[in-house]
Amino acid sequence: MRTNIVIDDNLMMQALQASGLNTKKEVVEEGLKLIIQRHKQQAIRELRGKLQWEGQLDEMRDGIQQ
């Protein structure tokens, strides 16, 4: 999608330096990916205590090590 946006120059410079990315486009895309990732993580956190799991973790771990 092609779009034109006005971004604070200082903010963009800081983001370029902090990320090590080379272009403004890369910085914007990375920022969008981080927003999506954070949203998905929050959705997972909201499941805490709502799911029931049955199994023996020690037995599962023993099976992996063999």
Side-chain angles (χ1 to χ4, degrees):
M1 170 187 292
R2 188 169 196 73
T3 188
N4 291 322
I5 56 176
V6 178
I7 300 175
D8 180 275
D9 289 335
N10 187 38
L11 184 62
M12 180 57 74
M13 184 178 11
Q14 288 181 53
L16 283 163
Q17 290 173 350
S19 68
L21 298 171
N22 296 315
T23 67
K24 293 176 183 178
K25 178 184 176 194
E26 289 174 333
V27 168
V28 171
E29 287 181 352
E30 185 65 21
L32 293 171
K33 289 176 186 177
L34 287 171
I35 290 170
I36 293 166
Q37 179 183 25
R38 195 168 67 178
H39 176 75
K40 288 179 180 179
Q41 288 173 346
Q42 183 59 39
I44 291 170
R45 281 189 205 101
E46 290 174 4
L47 293 174
R48 186 177 189 143
K50 296 180 181 178
L51 302 176
Q52 185 154 354
W53 180 75
E54 293 181 20
Q56 297 296 326
L57 190 55
D58 290 334
E59 289 178 18
M60 292 176 68
R61 288 181 177 152
D62 288 342
I64 292 173
Q65 294 175 357
Q66 293 179 353

